[in-house]
């Protein structure tokens, strides 16, 4: 497994579970009438979990790769480039929805969560496309 | 595009994929993908591989019309 594949798996596994829990919790949270501070705290806890899981995983990967002569080559960069290009359009669409459409009907935390959702979706799509690019190259075009 | 990289490695004292990769600046995984026909390298890498085995590029890599459909290429990222 290449270095980029390992990092993509790590990013998916560290990000998807915690943000899935966060977004599911957001459905029921308004009924509990949380304060602004509680909502910020909830987001901070989720972001911290994500960061700690990713950094720990990255340290393990770096330790295993200590003797590797080359971590990325032209194929890795090509796969990464294609995945990033597709993810960019997802992010662009998401930001248009959040910044230009939603403000007419929604406000506050709905906008915050929608923006966060599109950022997570973009990152998930990017890493998923990287993994698909290695397994089924023709899909990565 | 087909190639003779696997055969040439075998003829070069069974050189490993990792060793070939190290000498031409690619990872072992990419050498494996080239051998399996899942990846078409850039012209620069193709020349480096051919030069390493003392061959011409057309002796190592063989292009067939319509043969690259669905194959990943180094240049497909440029667009």
């Amino acid at each position: 497994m290449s270095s980029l594949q390992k990092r993509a798996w790590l990013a998916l596994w560290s990000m998807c579970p915690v943000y899935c829990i966060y977004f599911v919790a957001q459905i029921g949270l308004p009924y509990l009438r949380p304060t602004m501070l509680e909502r910020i705290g909830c987001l901070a806890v989720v972001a911290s979990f994500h960061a700690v899981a990713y950094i720990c995983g990255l340290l393990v990967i770096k330790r295993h790769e200590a003797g590797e002569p080359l971590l990325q080559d032209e194929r890795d960069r090509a796969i990464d480039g294609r995945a990033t290009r597709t993810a960019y359009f997802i992010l662009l669409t998401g930001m248009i929805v959040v910044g230009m459409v939603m403000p007419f009907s929604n406000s506050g935390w709905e906008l915050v969560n929608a923006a966060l959702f599109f950022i997570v979706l973009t990152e998930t799509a990017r890493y998923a496309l990287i993994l698909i690019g290695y397994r089924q190259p023709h899909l990565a075009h | 595009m087909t190639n003779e990289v696997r055969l040439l490695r075998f003829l070069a004292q069974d050189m490993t994929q990792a060793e070939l990769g190290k000498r031409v600046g690619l990872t072992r995984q990419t050498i494996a993908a080239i051998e399996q026909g899942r990846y078409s390298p850039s012209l620069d890498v193709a020349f480096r591989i051919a030069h390493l085995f003392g061959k011409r590029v057309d002796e190592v890599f063989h292009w067939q019309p319509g043969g690259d459909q669905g194959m990943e290429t180094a240049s497909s990222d440029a667009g």
Side-chain angles (χ1 to χ4, degrees), chain B:
Chain B
M1 192 160 74
T2 58
N3 65 75
E4 308 294 334
V5 175
R6 174 72 191 92
L7 176 67
L8 291 168
R9 267 200 313 114
F10 175 74
L11 294 174
Q13 285 93 47
D14 215 359
M15 183 191 289
T16 63
Q17 290 178 335
E19 192 182 341
L20 173 60
K22 192 177 174 183
R23 292 173 72 170
V24 297
L26 297 177
T27 60
R28 187 193 60 76
Q29 291 85 1
T30 300
I31 296 293
I34 291 170
E35 286 183 7
Q36 291 162 15
R38 290 190 290 114
Y39 176 68
S40 294
S42 66
L43 200 55
D44 180 53
V45 166
F47 271 107
R48 270 189 274 154
I49 291 172
H51 179 74
L52 184 76
F53 291 120
K55 302 276 183 187
R56 295 193 315 268
V57 172
D58 64 318
E59 288 176 312
V60 182
F61 296 95
H62 315 292
W63 180 76
Q64 294 152 342
D68 273 359
Q69 287 177 352
M71 185 191 285
E72 186 181 0
T73 63
S75 59
S76 60
D77 187 43

Side-chain angles (χ1 to χ4, degrees), chain A residues 17-26 42-43 46 109 113 116:
Chain A
V18 287
Y19 282 103
C20 275
I21 293 167
Y22 174 78
F23 287 122
V24 168
Q26 291 305 306
C42 181
L43 185 56
V46 167
W109 277 95
N113 286 331
L116 188 63

